[in-house]
Amino acid sequence: MKREIYLEITPLNEALEKWLRRLESQGFLKAFPGEKVMVSESLGRITAEPVIARLSSPFYHSSAMDGYAVKYQETFGASEISPKKLKLGEQAVYVDTGDPMPDVFNTVIMIEDVNVIRCQAPGVRYQEDEYIEIISPATPWQNVRVIGEDIVATELILPENHRIMPVDVGAMLAGGYVDINVRRKPKIVIIPTGTEIVEPGSNLKRGDIIEYNSRVLGGLVSEWGGEPVRFRIIPDDIKKLKNAISEAHKVGDMIVVNAGASAGSEDFTSRAISETGEIIFHGVSIKPGKPVIAGIVGNKPVLGIPGYPVSAFITFNLFAKPVIYKWQGMEMAPPEILQAVLSRQAASTLGQEEFLRVKIGKVGDKFIAAPVSRGAGVLMSLVRADGFVRIPAMSEGIGAGSEVDVELLRTKNEIENTIVCIGSHDNALDLLSNSLKKKYPKLSLSSAHAGSMGGLLALKKREAHIAGTHLLDEETGEYNIPFIKKLLPDKKIILVNLVYREQGLLVLKGNPKNIKGFEDLTRNDVVFINRQAGAGTRLLTDKHLRELRIKPEDVKGYEREEYTHMGVASAALTGIADTGLAILASAKALGLDFIPVAKERYDLAIPFEFYDTDMIKALLSIIREDSEFRAMVAKLGGYDVSDMGKVMYDG
Amino acid sequence: MKREIYLEITPLNEALEKWLRRLESQGFLKAFPGEKVMVSESLGRITAEPVIARLSSPFYHSSAMDGYAVKYQETFGASEISPKKLKLGEQAVYVDTGDPMPDVFNTVIMIEDVNVIRCQAPGVRYQEDEYIEIISPATPWQNVRVIGEDIVATELILPENHRIMPVDVGAMLAGGYVDINVRRKPKIVIIPTGTEIVEPGSNLKRGDIIEYNSRVLGGLVSEWGGEPVRFRIIPDDIKKLKNAISEAHKVGDMIVVNAGASAGSEDFTSRAISETGEIIFHGVSIKPGKPVIAGIVGNKPVLGIPGYPVSAFITFNLFAKPVIYKWQGMEMAPPEILQAVLSRQAASTLGQEEFLRVKIGKVGDKFIAAPVSRGAGVLMSLVRADGFVRIPAMSEGIGAGSEVDVELLRTKNEIENTIVCIGSHDNALDLLSNSLKKKYPKLSLSSAHAGSMGGLLALKKREAHIAGTHLLDEETGEYNIPFIKKLLPDKKIILVNLVYREQGLLVLKGNPKNIKGFEDLTRNDVVFINRQAGAGTRLLTDKHLRELRIKPEDVKGYEREEYTHMGVASAALTGIADTGLAILASAKALGLDFIPVAKERYDLAIPFEFYDTDMIKALLSIIREDSEFRAMVAKLGGYDVSDMGKVMYDG
């Protein structure tokens, strides 16, 4: 079992410098020469030469007003007492805005300032006895757009290396250009590899992996101004991969192989690059993204991009983007940075620079950054992330409450229009998020699943606008209110019902293990999947176990925790466990059977300080008035929406 | 001469409300239904439905590591003292990262933590006596990517009304989508009108106007996510225009007629709209942009957009953009606002909301906004502008030094990377601007022409980073230094030479009026064109007149002022004047003859506080080291570049 060993693990800065300096030294980083395009097709392209006006605009004197062109010398002495008459057709000529100035005239009097004295004979344009009468003298060239008023021939309209905007297109046309030289778009060939990789839409079988990285990377190339060229999928076959690289070398300016960059036994990329060209480095001390390869084949840069989607995204941004910009004569804008407070600790491996994905919300006047899933394979962590926090290689992590610099993936405006919901997970929140965006496109709902208790604590720490909670007080039988009083004694909280919902044990279709209730959890052949501490569902589990006098240590799997109902359902579906407690909606979603255990109340806790904000008002209008939303929730199954939107407590 | 009178002049807010409310009430503002596109082609499009995962990702358990799949139950009790042996092929199977978990196994041990004990017989995969040895027990499902780790089927991947980013494309493919519903792109038909309007590239004759507005408006449509459809140019013929509108009605979602919206005698747009449909308003109290028309033809919104390019840009932004966004289910992001200090007073007409274009520079820690040309016909004012300041209708203007809110057209980052040069105009500055952007793509040079004196005063007020100056002290014969000492006594200024240049009188080719020098300016048949007060060239003019004892009132045209050398050249070329004082480069640019008068020194004055900033260092590196720049300046003619970059004074 031969294993490719990383040639070295290079620190990020060193790797970047090595890469760019090497390309630079061989002359591979120069801005591309221009290609001719029609000015009318040049929007968004980059100028490859200075655009210098060939023509003045206007290129003749023209009237700037509707009025009469006259000679200013003939208007001297005009006044209200002694108006001056000018003969039409001879001393004065009518001009529309934009009309060229008739040759002998040198000023224009606005039509509003003129009295036309005309005979009544119809159908004749100028009569012998038609005059205009003016009551004040004109100054030379008044109301005239003189040649070059807008653009003077030889003037610089656009410098080289300028991204063309809509108004620039107009200015170039006005300046006498029909076509111009713009930077050729860098062609980036992306080669997806892997015997297990299949095209989207294929008939899937176990072991297949849908190929999507090439589309993500291709999308980035397009956004950066390049042109992605996607090759067909190459199986794990060194000869075929080498052929593909040779083919790519003919077509593209950069070759990107994805993946096969990690050190597994089927990883041919580094071999293929070193056998067709040269490896500059293999392995960078970043997380995720470590197994990235950079090399040169012929005179073209080659990247071996790791297969995990987050690794692929990060390494492609780090190593491909600066090159694609340089080729266009552009420099990358620095990322927009937002200062935020990290909501919980993020430990990190010493010696690796980590790119931590975070969601950000503005709660009160603080921006709160909450880390999202850190797995390199979790693409959704990028879909959901608002930005990155870089944890330096020399750090073991960042403590909760620390100020961090977030490199934004979205605009600050989008973040400021995001409602942060932390707390118990419920499938209705997905629908709420969708209905909110449908009715109020500028607003977003971001929900993090931290359990009911976690949600209330987040309100206490002012890290969320609302919290989803379904905490049953065993003593009083009351939901949520006792917990709010205890945990948030100084905070005025309004509790709005979202749903009543059924909780139950999820089992495979047909209930093969014949599970009837919590009493079966002590059976030797039954593996349970639990929820995390602080989750309302965990409290419900513990309450039932206590009532049945079952000790946690007698429940197999009690220690394995999931964070969402769907996580529990997924575990039950896939055989990780035989059963777990979750809501009916999650069972229906995955086609599981459901053994009802309890009906419970699920509320949204909203601090008074946010209750009257526009964002929360919009959210409540969906909950209270949007019948489509209500119907969709009911359709999930196991929900009672009769109190949806009702204020349950106003403390 | 029948004239179309504005039906009314509506205040902006009222007009906008009328327009949107009317469209809304007729159901014309609803988000468009979806159209199917391939997910791989969906980048940048807007989702027209929630995208809910059809497939989990991964959809089978797979190994997250290179290693061995085993049953965790069989690893109990393994330790360094008593390692546990597992038989290959039976109790353990090798798996690469991404391989599906073999059915009976439920955990993976990393290859690094395993000792493989094998017989040496080659060519056989598993021998009877091959084992792995482990020294610690495994926990269930460790190093396994379980089903749904990334995406759980039924989970919301993207809400409706979401603009699709590269990572979203990947998530949709992973979630089992091959195609999705996205909003149809709004089709905006743009009809250029006017008998005088010609296509770019036509053989131009006096009176022709190159059609470019449709390309600017079309570019905006593309940027806003729509699809522009440009019709051919329609002459001023009411029947043809009405036909074009009917045709457009069949093709597009919105009809835009440009121009013919002002009240001149050839303006057919309002007639064509009212005869084919209905006018909602005609005329809005904004400047520029007053003559805009909004109407409805059939069930389609129609805009009559004014012909002046700045008016067209502003009114199209105000009235078309919100509709195009609504149709896509999107809300416009509010413009980015930057607080800046207005560098000079801007008077404004009471009763009209004015959109003042400004250039912005960050000088020290203040953002300075300088108004640029206010003419509705000056497209270059938009090309050069960094943003708009809105002067309310109820205001008569804004005083110099006032804090203003600027709606940005560029990013703050671009503005922060702009060197602000105020002062005397020289053609070499255009070249400098170009060479700077070529070598340092992220930097820009913005030059405003305020004369040498204006430049030094701008340094005093900290409104510029550098000032171009060529002020001759008559007493000492010294350039610039006496003025710096007098005007900026408390400021340390470094003076760097840019060029020596020739000033002279510009006359038409062949010098038809036989002008030999300043003495000819008193002739009755000679009209002079002057430069503004405070310009170095104005001082030079005044010095020569004084030496010749010529009184300004004896010079015809002395009171007419231009702000740049090119403005003077243009006036001489076009017959506005017979001659004026300017540099040789401007004569050469426009093919004029040149009567030399003086050679003068042109320096850049740089306050010490900015001298060592990266931006200024970059600029000085161009001036001092860029031989291409030096050669291009020399080629302009009339320049001596021998001291280019030399420090002339270090005060």
Side-chain angles (χ1 to χ4, degrees):
Chain A
M1 211 150 290
K2 183 179 168 295
R3 286 174 50 76
E4 198 62 58
I5 299 305
Y6 298 124
L7 298 178
E8 82 243 86
I9 302 291
T10 316
L12 176 55
N13 283 344
E14 209 177 288
L16 253 176
E17 208 184 294
K18 219 166 170 176
W19 169 239
L20 295 176
R21 189 171 291 172
R22 174 62 187 279
L23 296 179
E24 176 91 67
S25 74
Q26 296 196 235
F28 299 162
L29 276 192
K30 289 208 190 94
F32 283 174
E35 63 179 11
K36 276 242 176 318
V37 297
M38 299 293 288
V39 171
S40 55
E41 304 293 320
S42 68
L43 185 69
R45 301 295 294 270
I46 317 289
T47 52
E49 59 184 6
V51 182
I52 291 163
R54 291 175 179 157
L55 207 65
S56 292
S57 174
F59 62 90
Y60 50 88
H61 300 312
S62 65
S63 178
M65 292 282 177
D66 295 344
Y68 289 87
V70 300
K71 292 180 207 159
Y72 76 92
Q73 297 89 338
E74 295 186 347
T75 66
F76 289 165
S79 70
E80 291 207 39
I81 300 155
S82 63
K84 197 127 195 177
K85 275 190 187 174
L86 298 174
K87 190 161 188 188
L88 271 175
E90 206 167 279
Q91 294 177 291
V93 168
Y94 178 77
V95 282
D96 271 326
T97 305
D99 280 351
M101 285 292 285
D103 260 341
V104 293
F105 301 112
N106 54 19
T107 199
V108 169
I109 301 175
M110 283 168 67
I111 195 160
E112 288 82 346
D113 296 339
V114 158
N115 235 331
V116 184
I117 304 166
R118 59 173 48 144
C119 83
Q120 299 303 312
V124 183
R125 197 162 159 91
Y126 293 124
Q127 299 275 335
E128 283 298 311
D129 51 352
E130 280 190 335
Y131 288 88
I132 60 168
E133 201 177 63
I134 55 171
I135 54 171
S136 60
T139 56
W141 303 98
Q142 76 181 20
N143 299 325
V144 175
R145 293 192 70 203
V146 297
I147 296 179
E149 178 187 287
D150 187 354
I151 302 173
V152 178
T154 76
E155 156 179 28
L156 181 72
I157 299 178
L158 301 175
E160 195 172 331
N161 293 336
H162 172 89
R163 187 183 297 278
I164 295 166
M165 310 278 286
V167 290
D168 301 333
V169 171
M172 289 188 284
L173 292 172
Y177 282 79
V178 176
D179 48 33
I180 47 150
N181 269 316
V182 296
R183 299 266 174 238
R184 182 169 68 72
K185 289 188 173 204
K187 262 193 191 163
I188 313 300
V189 180
I190 300 164
I191 309 174
T193 72
T195 303
E196 70 283 11
I197 301 292
V198 298
E199 292 292 352
S202 304
N203 254 332
L204 294 173
K205 55 180 201 307
R206 237 172 84 102
D208 287 347
I209 295 175
I210 297 173
E211 203 295 301
Y212 58 77
N213 272 344
S214 71
R215 303 303 184 178
V216 176
L217 303 183
L220 292 171
V221 169
S222 300
E223 286 199 334
W224 300 333
E227 186 187 327
V229 180
R230 180 187 184 265
F231 272 20
R232 67 188 185 291
I233 298 165
I234 304 293
D236 292 323
D237 175 323
I238 183 82
K239 226 174 108 189
K240 286 187 178 155
L241 181 53
K242 283 164 72 176
N243 282 343
I245 290 176
S246 305
E247 208 49 50
H249 186 270
K250 288 180 213 155
V251 178
D253 301 301
M254 183 194 289
I255 304 156
V256 177
V257 183
N258 177 255
S262 85
S265 60
E266 291 175 358
D267 296 342
F268 299 106
T269 309
S270 68
R271 236 180 91 199
I273 295 175
S274 61
E275 288 176 16
T276 48
E278 179 199 345
I279 287 180
I280 298 175
F281 61 77
H282 182 183
V284 176
S285 55
I286 52 173
K287 184 182 172 183
K290 187 175 75 173
V292 63
I293 307 172
I296 290 187
V297 171
N299 54 350
K300 307 269 169 85
V302 182
L303 287 171
I305 294 290
Y308 275 136
V310 183
S311 310
F313 179 88
I314 289 173
T315 53
F316 199 62
N317 264 281
L318 288 171
F319 295 100
K321 189 175 180 185
V323 177
I324 293 173
Y325 270 66
K326 289 258 181 208
W327 281 342
Q328 296 177 85
M330 301 291 281
E331 247 167 86
M332 296 190 298
E336 210 190 330
I337 300 285
L338 185 75
Q339 258 104 40
V341 173
L342 201 65
S343 70
R344 55 172 203 272
Q345 164 194 322
S348 180
T349 314
L350 204 65
Q352 283 188 333
E353 181 164 344
E354 181 167 352
F355 290 78
L356 184 71
R357 280 85 75 206
V358 295
K359 277 212 74 68
I360 313 174
K362 189 179 187 188
V363 183
D365 48 9
K366 258 190 318 182
F367 287 98
I368 306 290
V372 294
S373 163
R374 299 166 79 173
V378 183
L379 179 62
M380 286 303 287
S381 71
L382 280 177
V383 171
R384 301 245 159 90
D386 295 319
F388 286 100
V389 174
R390 292 200 192 201
I391 307 180
M394 287 305 105
S395 158
E396 289 188 271
I398 303 178
S402 303
E403 271 241 332
V404 288
D405 280 351
V406 184
E407 297 180 11
L408 290 186
L409 293 167
R410 298 189 208 290
T411 66
K412 207 173 142 191
N413 177 55
E414 286 173 279
I415 289 166
E416 286 174 337
N417 282 301
T418 299
I419 299 171
V420 179
C421 173
I422 299 185
S424 170
H425 171 253
D426 188 275
N427 294 43
L429 292 177
D430 264 8
L431 298 178
L432 186 57
S433 159
N434 187 64
S435 292
L436 181 72
K437 184 132 220 98
K438 183 170 181 178
K439 192 152 175 203
Y440 302 95
K442 74 169 180 179
L443 296 182
S444 299
L445 176 67
S446 138
S447 14
H449 313 319
S452 297
M453 212 76 99
L456 296 182
L457 289 174
L459 294 186
K460 191 185 177 83
K461 291 191 281 175
R462 296 187 91 234
E463 290 174 354
H465 298 111
I466 60 175
T469 175
H470 58 113
L471 292 165
L472 173 61
D473 183 47
E474 281 192 53
E475 269 173 48
T476 59
E478 206 175 7
Y479 271 95
N480 299 325
I481 300 168
F483 292 86
I484 287 171
K485 285 183 176 158
K486 201 168 66 190
L487 289 172
L488 305 164
D490 306 322
K491 223 174 167 92
K492 191 165 155 52
I493 299 284
I494 295 159
L495 207 54
V496 175
N497 181 252
L498 186 64
V499 288
Y500 296 93
R501 62 186 195 178
E502 277 190 276
Q503 291 262 25
L505 290 169
L506 311 191
V507 293
L508 278 182
K509 195 112 219 151
N511 195 2
K513 292 226 168 148
N514 193 30
I515 294 165
K516 300 208 174 78
F518 275 94
E519 53 278 17
D520 289 308
L521 298 192
T522 54
R523 275 164 50 187
N524 244 329
D525 63 332
V526 171
V527 178
F528 182 68
I529 178 86
N530 209 347
R531 286 291 305 281
Q532 86 278 19
T537 305
R538 171 72 166 257
L539 288 191
L540 203 59
T541 296
D542 290 346
K543 175 183 168 243
H544 279 91
L545 292 179
R546 230 176 1 258
E547 283 172 4
L548 293 168
R549 295 171 196 277
I550 297 172
K551 287 189 218 137
E553 52 267 36
D554 293 337
V555 176
K556 254 183 301 304
Y558 182 88
E559 68 294 339
R560 186 173 167 104
E561 298 175 348
E562 281 290 340
Y563 278 77
T564 65
H565 296 280
M566 292 307 290
V568 169
S570 180
L573 177 69
T574 58
I576 289 175
D578 298 305
T579 191
L581 190 63
I583 55 176
L584 178 57
S586 64
K588 284 187 92 170
L590 297 191
L592 296 167
D593 277 359
F594 182 80
I595 298 135
V597 166
K599 184 173 165 182
E600 62 172 11
R601 202 176 90 202
Y602 184 97
D603 296 332
L604 298 177
I606 310 173
F608 181 73
E609 59 177 322
F610 304 132
Y611 195 74
D612 272 336
T613 59
D614 288 346
M615 285 199 307
I616 299 297
K617 274 196 221 158
L619 191 78
L620 289 173
S621 82
I622 302 285
I623 294 173
R624 288 176 179 151
E625 295 153 26
D626 186 331
S627 55
E628 192 193 34
F629 169 64
R630 192 172 286 235
M632 282 170 80
V633 172
K635 216 181 118 198
L636 286 176
Y639 286 107
D640 170 355
V641 296
S642 55
D643 278 348
M644 186 178 267
K646 192 170 154 187
V647 172
M648 310 309 281
Y649 171 70
D650 187 345
Chain B
M1 212 148 292
K2 183 181 167 295
R3 288 174 48 80
E4 198 62 58
I5 299 304
Y6 299 126
L7 299 177
E8 82 244 86
I9 302 289
T10 315
L12 176 56
N13 283 343
E14 209 176 289
L16 253 176
E17 207 183 296
K18 219 167 171 176
W19 169 238
L20 295 177
R21 189 172 290 173
R22 175 63 185 281
L23 295 180
E24 176 91 64
S25 74
Q26 296 196 236
F28 299 162
L29 276 192
K30 288 207 191 96
F32 283 175
E35 64 179 9
K36 274 241 178 319
V37 297
M38 298 294 287
V39 171
S40 54
E41 304 293 319
S42 67
L43 185 68
R45 302 294 295 271
I46 316 289
T47 52
E49 60 183 3
V51 181
I52 290 164
R54 291 175 180 157
L55 206 65
S56 293
S57 174
F59 61 90
Y60 50 87
H61 301 313
S62 65
S63 179
M65 292 284 176
D66 295 344
Y68 289 86
V70 302
K71 292 179 206 161
Y72 76 93
Q73 297 92 336
E74 296 185 343
T75 67
F76 289 167
S79 70
E80 291 208 39
I81 300 157
S82 62
K84 198 126 194 180
K85 275 188 186 174
L86 298 173
K87 189 161 187 188
L88 272 175
E90 205 168 279
Q91 292 177 293
V93 168
Y94 178 77
V95 281
D96 270 326
T97 305
D99 280 352
M101 286 292 284
D103 259 340
V104 294
F105 300 112
N106 54 18
T107 199
V108 168
I109 301 175
M110 282 168 69
I111 194 160
E112 287 84 347
D113 297 338
V114 158
N115 235 331
V116 184
I117 304 166
R118 58 172 51 141
C119 82
Q120 300 303 313
V124 184
R125 193 158 163 92
Y126 294 125
Q127 300 274 334
E128 283 298 311
D129 53 351
E130 281 191 334
Y131 289 88
I132 60 167
E133 201 177 64
I134 55 171
I135 55 170
S136 61
T139 55
W141 303 98
Q142 75 182 19
N143 299 324
V144 175
R145 293 191 71 202
V146 297
I147 295 178
E149 179 187 286
D150 187 353
I151 302 173
V152 178
T154 75
E155 158 180 25
L156 181 72
I157 298 177
L158 301 174
E160 195 171 330
N161 292 338
H162 172 88
R163 188 184 296 277
I164 295 167
M165 311 278 285
V167 289
D168 302 333
V169 171
M172 288 189 284
L173 292 173
Y177 283 78
V178 176
D179 48 33
I180 47 151
N181 270 315
V182 295
R183 300 264 174 240
R184 183 168 68 72
K185 288 185 173 205
K187 263 194 190 159
I188 313 300
V189 179
I190 300 164
I191 309 175
T193 72
T195 304
E196 71 284 10
I197 301 291
V198 300
E199 292 292 351
S202 305
N203 256 330
L204 294 174
K205 52 179 204 306
R206 239 172 83 101
D208 288 347
I209 295 175
I210 298 174
E211 202 294 301
Y212 58 78
N213 272 345
S214 71
R215 303 303 184 177
V216 176
L217 302 183
L220 291 172
V221 169
S222 300
E223 286 199 335
W224 300 335
E227 185 186 328
V229 179
R230 180 187 184 264
F231 274 19
R232 65 185 189 293
I233 298 166
I234 304 293
D236 293 322
D237 175 322
I238 183 83
K239 225 173 109 188
K240 285 185 181 160
L241 182 53
K242 284 165 71 177
N243 282 344
I245 289 176
S246 305
E247 208 49 48
H249 186 270
K250 288 179 211 153
V251 177
D253 301 301
M254 183 193 289
I255 303 156
V256 177
V257 183
N258 177 257
S262 86
S265 60
E266 289 174 1
D267 296 342
F268 298 107
T269 308
S270 69
R271 236 180 90 198
I273 295 175
S274 61
E275 287 176 16
T276 48
E278 178 199 344
I279 286 179
I280 299 175
F281 61 76
H282 182 183
V284 176
S285 54
I286 51 174
K287 185 184 174 184
K290 187 174 75 173
V292 63
I293 307 173
I296 289 187
V297 171
N299 53 350
K300 306 269 168 84
V302 182
L303 287 172
I305 294 290
Y308 276 136
V310 183
S311 310
F313 180 88
I314 289 173
T315 53
F316 199 63
N317 264 280
L318 288 171
F319 295 101
K321 188 175 180 185
V323 177
I324 294 174
Y325 269 67
K326 289 258 183 209
W327 281 342
Q328 296 178 84
M330 301 292 281
E331 247 166 86
M332 295 190 297
E336 210 192 328
I337 300 286
L338 185 75
Q339 259 105 40
V341 173
L342 202 65
S343 69
R344 54 173 202 270
Q345 165 195 321
S348 180
T349 314
L350 204 65
Q352 284 188 333
E353 182 166 344
E354 181 168 353
F355 290 78
L356 184 71
R357 280 86 73 206
V358 295
K359 278 211 72 68
I360 312 174
K362 189 179 187 187
V363 182
D365 48 9
K366 257 192 319 185
F367 287 97
I368 307 290
V372 294
S373 162
R374 298 165 81 173
V378 183
L379 180 62
M380 285 305 286
S381 71
L382 280 179
V383 171
R384 301 245 159 90
D386 295 318
F388 285 100
V389 174
R390 292 199 191 202
I391 306 179
M394 287 305 104
S395 158
E396 289 188 273
I398 303 177
S402 304
E403 271 242 331
V404 289
D405 280 351
V406 185
E407 297 181 11
L408 290 187
L409 292 168
R410 296 187 209 289
T411 65
K412 208 175 142 189
N413 177 55
E414 285 172 279
I415 288 165
E416 286 175 338
N417 282 301
T418 299
I419 299 171
V420 180
C421 173
I422 299 184
S424 168
H425 172 252
D426 188 274
N427 293 42
L429 292 176
D430 264 8
L431 297 179
L432 186 56
S433 157
N434 187 65
S435 292
L436 181 71
K437 184 134 221 94
K438 184 170 181 180
K439 192 152 173 205
Y440 300 95
K442 74 169 182 181
L443 297 181
S444 300
L445 175 68
S446 138
S447 15
H449 313 318
S452 297
M453 213 75 100
L456 295 182
L457 289 173
L459 293 186
K460 191 185 177 82
K461 291 192 279 175
R462 296 186 90 235
E463 290 175 354
H465 298 111
I466 61 176
T469 175
H470 58 113
L471 293 165
L472 174 61
D473 183 49
E474 281 192 55
E475 269 175 47
T476 60
E478 204 175 8
Y479 271 96
N480 300 323
I481 300 168
F483 292 87
I484 287 172
K485 285 183 176 158
K486 200 168 67 188
L487 287 172
L488 304 165
D490 306 323
K491 224 175 168 92
K492 190 164 155 51
I493 300 282
I494 295 160
L495 207 54
V496 175
N497 180 252
L498 187 62
V499 288
Y500 297 94
R501 59 184 197 179
E502 278 189 275
Q503 291 262 25
L505 289 169
L506 311 193
V507 294
L508 277 184
K509 196 112 219 150
N511 196 359
K513 292 227 168 146
N514 194 26
I515 293 165
K516 298 207 177 80
F518 276 95
E519 55 278 17
D520 289 310
L521 298 191
T522 54
R523 277 164 50 187
N524 245 329
D525 63 334
V526 171
V527 177
F528 183 67
I529 179 85
N530 209 348
R531 287 290 307 280
Q532 86 279 17
T537 307
R538 172 71 166 258
L539 289 191
L540 202 60
T541 296
D542 291 346
K543 174 182 170 246
H544 278 92
L545 292 179
R546 234 184 346 267
E547 282 171 5
L548 293 167
R549 295 170 196 279
I550 298 171
K551 287 190 219 135
E553 53 268 37
D554 292 339
V555 176
K556 254 183 300 306
Y558 181 89
E559 66 296 339
R560 187 173 167 104
E561 298 175 348
E562 281 290 339
Y563 279 76
T564 65
H565 297 279
M566 292 307 292
V568 168
S570 181
L573 176 70
T574 59
I576 289 175
D578 298 305
T579 192
L581 190 62
I583 54 176
L584 177 57
S586 64
K588 284 188 92 170
L590 297 192
L592 296 167
D593 277 358
F594 182 79
I595 298 135
V597 166
K599 185 173 162 182
E600 63 172 8
R601 200 176 91 203
Y602 184 98
D603 297 331
L604 298 176
I606 310 173
F608 181 72
E609 58 176 324
F610 304 132
Y611 194 74
D612 271 336
T613 59
D614 288 346
M615 284 198 309
I616 299 298
K617 275 197 221 159
L619 191 77
L620 289 173
S621 83
I622 302 285
I623 295 174
R624 291 178 177 150
E625 295 153 28
D626 188 331
S627 54
E628 191 192 37
F629 168 65
R630 190 172 289 235
M632 283 170 79
V633 172
K635 214 180 119 198
L636 286 175
Y639 286 108
D640 170 355
V641 296
S642 55
D643 279 346
M644 185 179 269
K646 193 170 151 185
V647 172
M648 311 307 283
Y649 171 71
D650 187 346

